[in-house]
Amino acid sequence: MTHSTSSANPTSYAQANAYTPLNFPELASAITHINEEHYDELLGFLTAFTSLSSEDMDEASVQLVDIYAEAIALQIQYKGTKKTSAQAHNPTFFIAFTAPITQFSDLNTQYILLKQQADKKLGKKTIKLTKQTFLVQDSYKVSPNMLRLELTGSTLDVSNKNSVPVDEAGYAYLFDLAHNASASQNVGDKASPTRAHCYYTLRKAWQTSDGVRAWVDVFLHGDTPGGHWASSLQIGDTVMSKREFPEKTAHLQDGQALLIADETSMPTVARLLELWDNPIPPLVLCVTQELADQAYFDAVKIGTDKKNGDKTRQSTECQTDNNFMLLPLVAGKIHSGKELAVLIDQTLANYLTNHPLQIEKVWGALEAGTAKALRGLIQQRLGLERSDSVIKVYWRKD
Ligand SMILES: Cc1cc2nc3c(=O)[nH]c(=O)nc-3n(C[C@H](O)[C@H](O)[C@H](O)COP(=O)(O)OP(=O)(O)OC[C@H]3O[C@@H](n4cnc5c(N)ncnc54)[C@H](O)[C@@H]3O)c2cc1C
């Protein structure tokens, strides 16, 4: 069972000694990655497994400082001027794994188990390690480089409507590319898959008389394992997912939002728009390498599938024909890294000069280097609370 111990004084040294240090060469970069990409999960661990409340952490920053075989060590640094004497020591909390880590690959499993336990305690939706099999019904292009897979759930219990979420934006599946490896290899002229899995978002799912039907939109950016997998699929093939997790979008319920999409996160933003239930329409900054791929949003209307309330409300409140502001950015060869982040920030700055909007919430997903740089730039430009700005990593440039 998960337990935590806190050390609000020099006993932190003694407590760290109670755990087994790990010497995996990948550990330092895993710690950096978790601090950069999973910060809110660290806050969740502290809220779920310690007596700290979210108010206790209001003026604090949390850092994963080490990972031991039996536990992770989280340190809190209080920024406020009115620190108590316990806070002055930057307390360290140890959150125990369900089972000790013996090899590096165990870390992923143990971390996911911690996350599942924490989310359950906090009443939040969580990552699932379930396998699902889908049947390919069709596949076709919806913009020059975006391939839509139309799927049905072949092994789904259709009486359980939760097995494919029809009203969640950004719900992602980890597809098992190896499941279709032999079919792909029959195509012959392309490289065999070099990666085993790939995340793709549930673009949209809906209930039909004979079960759930779903779209998954795969952006084709050359001869890559994920793109090759998707374009090799034939009607009647099965595809398998091994893991699924919900996206963090709850903060978009109110306030003026900015959504930032690249080719890989356009499906998430499109679904966010269809399910939009915030009276203020968002500004959508869409960055693509090619102008033609901006057409992806032509068929998307705001609020068409929103869960509650009056679906006609948006027609009086929104300000453009399409009912949301689309700010296209065609970036050409600049598709990743800090350079793209600067371009996005400048595009936003220019827009805000002519259209003075007070942006209160941000969601975006981009390449790792872009996301990292953009978080800082957006923070400088908009000065938002960390919880009001979610900029995710959807892919990594080699
Ligand atoms: C939660 C989540 C949801 C996602 N949803 C979707 C989705 O719905 N649709 C979708 O298309 N993608 C989505 N992605 C992104 C997708 O998983 C990645 O783009 C993945 O890396 C693609 O794998 P690949 O085999 O095509 O390329 P990789 O094996 O990752 O890369 C091969 C080469 O292509 C380059 N490359 C990779 N991606 C791009 C790109 N976008 N543009 C230019 N060069 C690139 C890399 O630098 C590398 O050189 C999602 C990712 C996450 C984490």
PDB file of all heavy atoms in Angstrom, residues 172 195 198-201 217-219 221 224-227 245 264 267 289 335 393-398, ligand 1:
ATOM      1  N   ALA A 172      -6.579   9.754 -25.247  1.00  0.00           N
ATOM      2  CA  ALA A 172      -5.558   9.173 -26.136  1.00  0.00           C
ATOM      3  C   ALA A 172      -5.384   7.679 -25.905  1.00  0.00           C
ATOM      4  O   ALA A 172      -5.522   7.186 -24.776  1.00  0.00           O
ATOM      5  CB  ALA A 172      -4.228   9.883 -25.917  1.00  0.00           C
ATOM      6  N   ARG A 195       9.424   1.456 -33.904  1.00  0.00           N
ATOM      7  CA  ARG A 195       8.894   1.735 -32.582  1.00  0.00           C
ATOM      8  C   ARG A 195       7.671   0.859 -32.368  1.00  0.00           C
ATOM      9  O   ARG A 195       6.930   0.560 -33.296  1.00  0.00           O
ATOM     10  CB  ARG A 195       8.567   3.214 -32.406  1.00  0.00           C
ATOM     11  CG  ARG A 195       7.578   3.760 -33.395  1.00  0.00           C
ATOM     12  CD  ARG A 195       7.422   5.245 -33.267  1.00  0.00           C
ATOM     13  NE  ARG A 195       6.759   5.574 -32.015  1.00  0.00           N
ATOM     14  CZ  ARG A 195       6.720   6.791 -31.518  1.00  0.00           C
ATOM     15  NH1 ARG A 195       7.299   7.782 -32.143  1.00  0.00           N
ATOM     16  NH2 ARG A 195       6.084   7.036 -30.399  1.00  0.00           N
ATOM     17  N   CYS A 198       2.526   3.899 -30.368  1.00  0.00           N
ATOM     18  CA  CYS A 198       2.374   5.301 -30.719  1.00  0.00           C
ATOM     19  C   CYS A 198       1.043   5.817 -30.165  1.00  0.00           C
ATOM     20  O   CYS A 198       0.026   5.126 -30.243  1.00  0.00           O
ATOM     21  CB  CYS A 198       2.377   5.416 -32.235  1.00  0.00           C
ATOM     22  SG  CYS A 198       2.896   7.015 -32.792  1.00  0.00           S
ATOM     23  N   TYR A 199       1.087   7.011 -29.586  1.00  0.00           N
ATOM     24  CA  TYR A 199      -0.151   7.594 -29.074  1.00  0.00           C
ATOM     25  C   TYR A 199      -0.919   8.305 -30.169  1.00  0.00           C
ATOM     26  O   TYR A 199      -0.340   9.101 -30.922  1.00  0.00           O
ATOM     27  CB  TYR A 199       0.170   8.657 -27.998  1.00  0.00           C
ATOM     28  CG  TYR A 199       0.260   8.092 -26.609  1.00  0.00           C
ATOM     29  CD1 TYR A 199       1.470   8.072 -25.931  1.00  0.00           C
ATOM     30  CD2 TYR A 199      -0.866   7.594 -25.969  1.00  0.00           C
ATOM     31  CE1 TYR A 199       1.561   7.563 -24.646  1.00  0.00           C
ATOM     32  CE2 TYR A 199      -0.789   7.084 -24.690  1.00  0.00           C
ATOM     33  CZ  TYR A 199       0.424   7.074 -24.026  1.00  0.00           C
ATOM     34  OH  TYR A 199       0.501   6.566 -22.763  1.00  0.00           O
ATOM     35  N   TYR A 200      -2.212   8.028 -30.264  1.00  0.00           N
ATOM     36  CA  TYR A 200      -3.107   8.815 -31.123  1.00  0.00           C
ATOM     37  C   TYR A 200      -4.388   9.098 -30.337  1.00  0.00           C
ATOM     38  O   TYR A 200      -4.805   8.299 -29.494  1.00  0.00           O
ATOM     39  CB  TYR A 200      -3.408   8.077 -32.433  1.00  0.00           C
ATOM     40  CG  TYR A 200      -2.197   7.981 -33.337  1.00  0.00           C
ATOM     41  CD1 TYR A 200      -1.580   6.757 -33.587  1.00  0.00           C
ATOM     42  CD2 TYR A 200      -1.647   9.126 -33.911  1.00  0.00           C
ATOM     43  CE1 TYR A 200      -0.447   6.675 -34.397  1.00  0.00           C
ATOM     44  CE2 TYR A 200      -0.515   9.057 -34.710  1.00  0.00           C
ATOM     45  CZ  TYR A 200       0.078   7.834 -34.943  1.00  0.00           C
ATOM     46  OH  TYR A 200       1.209   7.765 -35.722  1.00  0.00           O
ATOM     47  N   THR A 201      -4.969  10.242 -30.678  1.00  0.00           N
ATOM     48  CA  THR A 201      -6.129  10.716 -29.926  1.00  0.00           C
ATOM     49  C   THR A 201      -7.424  10.191 -30.523  1.00  0.00           C
ATOM     50  O   THR A 201      -7.537  10.053 -31.749  1.00  0.00           O
ATOM     51  CB  THR A 201      -6.151  12.267 -30.004  1.00  0.00           C
ATOM     52  OG1 THR A 201      -4.884  12.744 -29.587  1.00  0.00           O
ATOM     53  CG2 THR A 201      -7.234  12.859 -29.142  1.00  0.00           C
ATOM     54  N   ASP A 217      -7.389  10.376 -36.099  1.00  0.00           N
ATOM     55  CA  ASP A 217      -6.758  11.108 -37.204  1.00  0.00           C
ATOM     56  C   ASP A 217      -5.243  11.095 -37.037  1.00  0.00           C
ATOM     57  O   ASP A 217      -4.703  11.605 -36.049  1.00  0.00           O
ATOM     58  CB  ASP A 217      -7.251  12.564 -37.229  1.00  0.00           C
ATOM     59  CG  ASP A 217      -8.711  12.652 -37.675  1.00  0.00           C
ATOM     60  OD1 ASP A 217      -9.292  11.610 -38.063  1.00  0.00           O
ATOM     61  OD2 ASP A 217      -9.269  13.758 -37.623  1.00  0.00           O
ATOM     62  N   VAL A 218      -4.565  10.537 -38.034  1.00  0.00           N
ATOM     63  CA  VAL A 218      -3.103  10.375 -37.962  1.00  0.00           C
ATOM     64  C   VAL A 218      -2.458  11.309 -38.975  1.00  0.00           C
ATOM     65  O   VAL A 218      -2.750  11.225 -40.171  1.00  0.00           O
ATOM     66  CB  VAL A 218      -2.715   8.916 -38.267  1.00  0.00           C
ATOM     67  CG1 VAL A 218      -1.202   8.761 -38.291  1.00  0.00           C
ATOM     68  CG2 VAL A 218      -3.345   7.975 -37.235  1.00  0.00           C
ATOM     69  N   PHE A 219      -1.605  12.192 -38.452  1.00  0.00           N
ATOM     70  CA  PHE A 219      -0.911  13.103 -39.359  1.00  0.00           C
ATOM     71  C   PHE A 219       0.278  12.376 -39.978  1.00  0.00           C
ATOM     72  O   PHE A 219       1.110  11.804 -39.269  1.00  0.00           O
ATOM     73  CB  PHE A 219      -0.450  14.363 -38.624  1.00  0.00           C
ATOM     74  CG  PHE A 219       0.053  15.389 -39.583  1.00  0.00           C
ATOM     75  CD1 PHE A 219      -0.833  16.141 -40.335  1.00  0.00           C
ATOM     76  CD2 PHE A 219       1.407  15.562 -39.798  1.00  0.00           C
ATOM     77  CE1 PHE A 219      -0.390  17.059 -41.265  1.00  0.00           C
ATOM     78  CE2 PHE A 219       1.870  16.484 -40.729  1.00  0.00           C
ATOM     79  CZ  PHE A 219       0.964  17.227 -41.462  1.00  0.00           C
ATOM     80  N   HIS A 221       3.699  12.475 -41.668  1.00  0.00           N
ATOM     81  CA  HIS A 221       4.808  13.416 -41.856  1.00  0.00           C
ATOM     82  C   HIS A 221       6.030  12.679 -42.385  1.00  0.00           C
ATOM     83  O   HIS A 221       7.107  12.692 -41.798  1.00  0.00           O
ATOM     84  CB  HIS A 221       5.116  14.156 -40.554  1.00  0.00           C
ATOM     85  CG  HIS A 221       5.297  13.234 -39.397  1.00  0.00           C
ATOM     86  ND1 HIS A 221       6.501  12.714 -39.051  1.00  0.00           N
ATOM     87  CD2 HIS A 221       4.400  12.703 -38.545  1.00  0.00           C
ATOM     88  CE1 HIS A 221       6.349  11.909 -38.019  1.00  0.00           C
ATOM     89  NE2 HIS A 221       5.084  11.879 -37.694  1.00  0.00           N
ATOM     90  N   THR A 224       7.383   7.341 -41.530  1.00  0.00           N
ATOM     91  CA  THR A 224       7.682   7.086 -40.113  1.00  0.00           C
ATOM     92  C   THR A 224       6.880   5.867 -39.654  1.00  0.00           C
ATOM     93  O   THR A 224       5.871   5.510 -40.291  1.00  0.00           O
ATOM     94  CB  THR A 224       7.283   8.289 -39.246  1.00  0.00           C
ATOM     95  OG1 THR A 224       5.864   8.430 -39.307  1.00  0.00           O
ATOM     96  CG2 THR A 224       7.933   9.575 -39.727  1.00  0.00           C
ATOM     97  N   PRO A 225       7.277   5.256 -38.562  1.00  0.00           N
ATOM     98  CA  PRO A 225       6.572   4.037 -38.144  1.00  0.00           C
ATOM     99  C   PRO A 225       5.066   4.246 -37.928  1.00  0.00           C
ATOM    100  O   PRO A 225       4.254   3.436 -38.391  1.00  0.00           O
ATOM    101  CB  PRO A 225       7.273   3.664 -36.825  1.00  0.00           C
ATOM    102  CG  PRO A 225       8.627   4.280 -36.929  1.00  0.00           C
ATOM    103  CD  PRO A 225       8.458   5.535 -37.730  1.00  0.00           C
ATOM    104  N   GLY A 226       4.694   5.349 -37.249  1.00  0.00           N
ATOM    105  CA  GLY A 226       3.271   5.586 -36.978  1.00  0.00           C
ATOM    106  C   GLY A 226       2.500   5.838 -38.266  1.00  0.00           C
ATOM    107  O   GLY A 226       1.421   5.266 -38.484  1.00  0.00           O
ATOM    108  N   GLY A 227       3.050   6.664 -39.128  1.00  0.00           N
ATOM    109  CA  GLY A 227       2.377   6.982 -40.385  1.00  0.00           C
ATOM    110  C   GLY A 227       2.290   5.760 -41.288  1.00  0.00           C
ATOM    111  O   GLY A 227       1.269   5.520 -41.947  1.00  0.00           O
ATOM    112  N   PHE A 245      -5.380   7.270 -21.833  1.00  0.00           N
ATOM    113  CA  PHE A 245      -5.455   8.229 -20.736  1.00  0.00           C
ATOM    114  C   PHE A 245      -6.176   9.508 -21.130  1.00  0.00           C
ATOM    115  O   PHE A 245      -6.138   9.925 -22.285  1.00  0.00           O
ATOM    116  CB  PHE A 245      -4.078   8.507 -20.123  1.00  0.00           C
ATOM    117  CG  PHE A 245      -3.212   9.441 -20.891  1.00  0.00           C
ATOM    118  CD1 PHE A 245      -3.186  10.789 -20.590  1.00  0.00           C
ATOM    119  CD2 PHE A 245      -2.406   8.974 -21.912  1.00  0.00           C
ATOM    120  CE1 PHE A 245      -2.373  11.654 -21.292  1.00  0.00           C
ATOM    121  CE2 PHE A 245      -1.588   9.833 -22.617  1.00  0.00           C
ATOM    122  CZ  PHE A 245      -1.574  11.182 -22.304  1.00  0.00           C
ATOM    123  N   THR A 264      -0.244  17.419 -34.933  1.00  0.00           N
ATOM    124  CA  THR A 264      -0.542  16.242 -34.112  1.00  0.00           C
ATOM    125  C   THR A 264      -1.625  16.513 -33.068  1.00  0.00           C
ATOM    126  O   THR A 264      -2.255  15.579 -32.577  1.00  0.00           O
ATOM    127  CB  THR A 264       0.728  15.733 -33.393  1.00  0.00           C
ATOM    128  OG1 THR A 264       1.177  16.737 -32.481  1.00  0.00           O
ATOM    129  CG2 THR A 264       1.835  15.402 -34.364  1.00  0.00           C
ATOM    130  N   PRO A 267      -6.430  17.132 -33.804  1.00  0.00           N
ATOM    131  CA  PRO A 267      -7.601  16.324 -33.431  1.00  0.00           C
ATOM    132  C   PRO A 267      -8.118  16.640 -32.023  1.00  0.00           C
ATOM    133  O   PRO A 267      -9.333  16.704 -31.800  1.00  0.00           O
ATOM    134  CB  PRO A 267      -7.073  14.880 -33.506  1.00  0.00           C
ATOM    135  CG  PRO A 267      -5.961  14.946 -34.513  1.00  0.00           C
ATOM    136  CD  PRO A 267      -5.299  16.275 -34.269  1.00  0.00           C
ATOM    137  N   GLN A 289       3.023  23.111 -40.989  1.00  0.00           N
ATOM    138  CA  GLN A 289       4.122  23.372 -41.917  1.00  0.00           C
ATOM    139  C   GLN A 289       3.569  23.847 -43.249  1.00  0.00           C
ATOM    140  O   GLN A 289       4.137  24.693 -43.895  1.00  0.00           O
ATOM    141  CB  GLN A 289       4.946  22.101 -42.119  1.00  0.00           C
ATOM    142  CG  GLN A 289       5.937  21.865 -40.997  1.00  0.00           C
ATOM    143  CD  GLN A 289       6.606  20.531 -41.142  1.00  0.00           C
ATOM    144  OE1 GLN A 289       6.212  19.554 -40.519  1.00  0.00           O
ATOM    145  NE2 GLN A 289       7.602  20.475 -41.994  1.00  0.00           N
ATOM    146  N   HIS A 335       9.422  23.500 -37.740  1.00  0.00           N
ATOM    147  CA  HIS A 335       8.332  22.700 -37.189  1.00  0.00           C
ATOM    148  C   HIS A 335       8.585  22.240 -35.758  1.00  0.00           C
ATOM    149  O   HIS A 335       7.831  21.467 -35.197  1.00  0.00           O
ATOM    150  CB  HIS A 335       8.022  21.501 -38.085  1.00  0.00           C
ATOM    151  CG  HIS A 335       9.205  20.611 -38.327  1.00  0.00           C
ATOM    152  ND1 HIS A 335       9.812  19.918 -37.328  1.00  0.00           N
ATOM    153  CD2 HIS A 335       9.875  20.325 -39.461  1.00  0.00           C
ATOM    154  CE1 HIS A 335      10.809  19.233 -37.837  1.00  0.00           C
ATOM    155  NE2 HIS A 335      10.883  19.460 -39.125  1.00  0.00           N
ATOM    156  N   VAL A 393       3.591  17.864 -24.387  1.00  0.00           N
ATOM    157  CA  VAL A 393       4.482  17.330 -25.427  1.00  0.00           C
ATOM    158  C   VAL A 393       3.749  16.197 -26.141  1.00  0.00           C
ATOM    159  O   VAL A 393       3.348  15.223 -25.507  1.00  0.00           O
ATOM    160  CB  VAL A 393       5.780  16.795 -24.800  1.00  0.00           C
ATOM    161  CG1 VAL A 393       6.604  16.039 -25.841  1.00  0.00           C
ATOM    162  CG2 VAL A 393       6.587  17.926 -24.203  1.00  0.00           C
ATOM    163  N   TYR A 394       3.560  16.327 -27.452  1.00  0.00           N
ATOM    164  CA  TYR A 394       2.914  15.257 -28.224  1.00  0.00           C
ATOM    165  C   TYR A 394       3.918  14.491 -29.089  1.00  0.00           C
ATOM    166  O   TYR A 394       3.641  13.406 -29.546  1.00  0.00           O
ATOM    167  CB  TYR A 394       1.806  15.835 -29.112  1.00  0.00           C
ATOM    168  CG  TYR A 394       0.403  15.752 -28.509  1.00  0.00           C
ATOM    169  CD1 TYR A 394       0.201  15.547 -27.152  1.00  0.00           C
ATOM    170  CD2 TYR A 394      -0.721  15.879 -29.316  1.00  0.00           C
ATOM    171  CE1 TYR A 394      -1.075  15.481 -26.613  1.00  0.00           C
ATOM    172  CE2 TYR A 394      -2.000  15.808 -28.790  1.00  0.00           C
ATOM    173  CZ  TYR A 394      -2.175  15.606 -27.442  1.00  0.00           C
ATOM    174  OH  TYR A 394      -3.452  15.539 -26.921  1.00  0.00           O
ATOM    175  N   TRP A 395       5.069  15.109 -29.369  1.00  0.00           N
ATOM    176  CA  TRP A 395       6.080  14.371 -30.145  1.00  0.00           C
ATOM    177  C   TRP A 395       7.460  14.962 -29.892  1.00  0.00           C
ATOM    178  O   TRP A 395       7.569  16.052 -29.324  1.00  0.00           O
ATOM    179  CB  TRP A 395       5.727  14.353 -31.637  1.00  0.00           C
ATOM    180  CG  TRP A 395       5.704  15.661 -32.352  1.00  0.00           C
ATOM    181  CD1 TRP A 395       4.707  16.596 -32.300  1.00  0.00           C
ATOM    182  CD2 TRP A 395       6.699  16.203 -33.233  1.00  0.00           C
ATOM    183  NE1 TRP A 395       5.016  17.668 -33.104  1.00  0.00           N
ATOM    184  CE2 TRP A 395       6.245  17.453 -33.697  1.00  0.00           C
ATOM    185  CE3 TRP A 395       7.943  15.740 -33.697  1.00  0.00           C
ATOM    186  CZ2 TRP A 395       6.975  18.248 -34.578  1.00  0.00           C
ATOM    187  CZ3 TRP A 395       8.662  16.529 -34.583  1.00  0.00           C
ATOM    188  CH2 TRP A 395       8.173  17.767 -35.011  1.00  0.00           C
ATOM    189  N   ARG A 396       8.470  14.217 -30.288  1.00  0.00           N
ATOM    190  CA  ARG A 396       9.859  14.639 -30.087  1.00  0.00           C
ATOM    191  C   ARG A 396      10.607  14.608 -31.394  1.00  0.00           C
ATOM    192  O   ARG A 396      10.548  13.616 -32.111  1.00  0.00           O
ATOM    193  CB  ARG A 396      10.574  13.656 -29.138  1.00  0.00           C
ATOM    194  CG  ARG A 396      10.356  13.974 -27.729  1.00  0.00           C
ATOM    195  CD  ARG A 396      10.805  12.888 -26.776  1.00  0.00           C
ATOM    196  NE  ARG A 396       9.983  13.009 -25.593  1.00  0.00           N
ATOM    197  CZ  ARG A 396      10.186  13.913 -24.657  1.00  0.00           C
ATOM    198  NH1 ARG A 396      11.240  14.703 -24.731  1.00  0.00           N
ATOM    199  NH2 ARG A 396       9.369  14.011 -23.637  1.00  0.00           N
ATOM    200  N   LYS A 397      11.342  15.684 -31.642  1.00  0.00           N
ATOM    201  CA  LYS A 397      12.192  15.677 -32.833  1.00  0.00           C
ATOM    202  C   LYS A 397      13.434  14.847 -32.517  1.00  0.00           C
ATOM    203  O   LYS A 397      14.016  14.991 -31.456  1.00  0.00           O
ATOM    204  CB  LYS A 397      12.597  17.114 -33.184  1.00  0.00           C
ATOM    205  CG  LYS A 397      13.416  17.166 -34.436  1.00  0.00           C
ATOM    206  CD  LYS A 397      13.560  18.566 -34.958  1.00  0.00           C
ATOM    207  CE  LYS A 397      14.665  18.669 -35.983  1.00  0.00           C
ATOM    208  NZ  LYS A 397      14.758  17.545 -36.914  1.00  0.00           N
ATOM    209  N   ASP A 398      13.820  13.990 -33.442  1.00  0.00           N
ATOM    210  CA  ASP A 398      15.025  13.171 -33.241  1.00  0.00           C
ATOM    211  C   ASP A 398      16.252  14.050 -33.154  1.00  0.00           C
ATOM    212  O   ASP A 398      16.383  14.991 -33.929  1.00  0.00           O
ATOM    213  CB  ASP A 398      15.208  12.226 -34.427  1.00  0.00           C
ATOM    214  CG  ASP A 398      14.375  10.980 -34.235  1.00  0.00           C
ATOM    215  OD1 ASP A 398      13.778  10.827 -33.161  1.00  0.00           O
ATOM    216  OD2 ASP A 398      14.319  10.173 -35.182  1.00  0.00           O
TER     217      ASP A 398
HETATM  218  C1  LIG B   1      -1.315  12.089 -25.902  1.00  0.00           C
HETATM  219  C2  LIG B   1      -0.902  12.140 -27.353  1.00  0.00           C
HETATM  220  C3  LIG B   1      -1.861  12.208 -28.339  1.00  0.00           C
HETATM  221  C4  LIG B   1      -1.488  12.262 -29.688  1.00  0.00           C
HETATM  222  N1  LIG B   1      -2.456  12.302 -30.663  1.00  0.00           N
HETATM  223  C5  LIG B   1      -2.108  12.345 -31.967  1.00  0.00           C
HETATM  224  C6  LIG B   1      -3.095  12.349 -33.009  1.00  0.00           C
HETATM  225  O1  LIG B   1      -4.293  12.290 -32.754  1.00  0.00           O
HETATM  226  N2  LIG B   1      -2.668  12.396 -34.294  1.00  0.00           N
HETATM  227  C7  LIG B   1      -1.341  12.443 -34.625  1.00  0.00           C
HETATM  228  O2  LIG B   1      -1.015  12.480 -35.827  1.00  0.00           O
HETATM  229  N3  LIG B   1      -0.381  12.438 -33.668  1.00  0.00           N
HETATM  230  C8  LIG B   1      -0.748  12.381 -32.353  1.00  0.00           C
HETATM  231  N4  LIG B   1       0.219  12.350 -31.385  1.00  0.00           N
HETATM  232  C9  LIG B   1       1.610  12.457 -31.788  1.00  0.00           C
HETATM  233  C10 LIG B   1       2.202  11.146 -32.219  1.00  0.00           C
HETATM  234  O3  LIG B   1       2.128  10.173 -31.190  1.00  0.00           O
HETATM  235  C11 LIG B   1       3.687  11.460 -32.546  1.00  0.00           C
HETATM  236  O4  LIG B   1       3.758  12.385 -33.600  1.00  0.00           O
HETATM  237  C12 LIG B   1       4.479  10.272 -32.877  1.00  0.00           C
HETATM  238  O5  LIG B   1       5.830  10.606 -32.619  1.00  0.00           O
HETATM  239  C13 LIG B   1       4.349   9.865 -34.324  1.00  0.00           C
HETATM  240  O6  LIG B   1       5.181   8.740 -34.519  1.00  0.00           O
HETATM  241  P1  LIG B   1       5.888   8.468 -35.888  1.00  0.00           P
HETATM  242  O7  LIG B   1       6.218   7.033 -35.904  1.00  0.00           O
HETATM  243  O8  LIG B   1       5.015   8.993 -36.986  1.00  0.00           O
HETATM  244  O9  LIG B   1       7.185   9.372 -35.842  1.00  0.00           O
HETATM  245  P2  LIG B   1       8.439   9.270 -34.859  1.00  0.00           P
HETATM  246  O10 LIG B   1       8.934   7.862 -34.767  1.00  0.00           O
HETATM  247  O11 LIG B   1       8.109   9.922 -33.558  1.00  0.00           O
HETATM  248  O12 LIG B   1       9.469  10.203 -35.584  1.00  0.00           O
HETATM  249  C14 LIG B   1      10.071   9.867 -36.835  1.00  0.00           C
HETATM  250  C15 LIG B   1      10.712  11.107 -37.405  1.00  0.00           C
HETATM  251  O13 LIG B   1       9.703  12.047 -37.751  1.00  0.00           O
HETATM  252  C16 LIG B   1       9.891  13.275 -37.040  1.00  0.00           C
HETATM  253  N5  LIG B   1       8.565  13.710 -36.605  1.00  0.00           N
HETATM  254  C17 LIG B   1       7.772  13.105 -35.713  1.00  0.00           C
HETATM  255  N6  LIG B   1       6.602  13.753 -35.613  1.00  0.00           N
HETATM  256  C18 LIG B   1       6.680  14.807 -36.467  1.00  0.00           C
HETATM  257  C19 LIG B   1       5.803  15.858 -36.799  1.00  0.00           C
HETATM  258  N7  LIG B   1       4.595  15.960 -36.277  1.00  0.00           N
HETATM  259  N8  LIG B   1       6.212  16.762 -37.712  1.00  0.00           N
HETATM  260  C20 LIG B   1       7.428  16.687 -38.278  1.00  0.00           C
HETATM  261  N9  LIG B   1       8.319  15.705 -37.988  1.00  0.00           N
HETATM  262  C21 LIG B   1       7.942  14.779 -37.092  1.00  0.00           C
HETATM  263  C22 LIG B   1      10.794  12.950 -35.868  1.00  0.00           C
HETATM  264  O14 LIG B   1      11.598  14.035 -35.505  1.00  0.00           O
HETATM  265  C23 LIG B   1      11.636  11.829 -36.428  1.00  0.00           C
HETATM  266  O15 LIG B   1      12.717  12.360 -37.162  1.00  0.00           O
HETATM  267  C24 LIG B   1      -0.133  12.270 -30.042  1.00  0.00           C
HETATM  268  C25 LIG B   1       0.841  12.197 -29.028  1.00  0.00           C
HETATM  269  C26 LIG B   1       0.458  12.144 -27.704  1.00  0.00           C
HETATM  270  C27 LIG B   1       1.522  12.062 -26.625  1.00  0.00           C
END
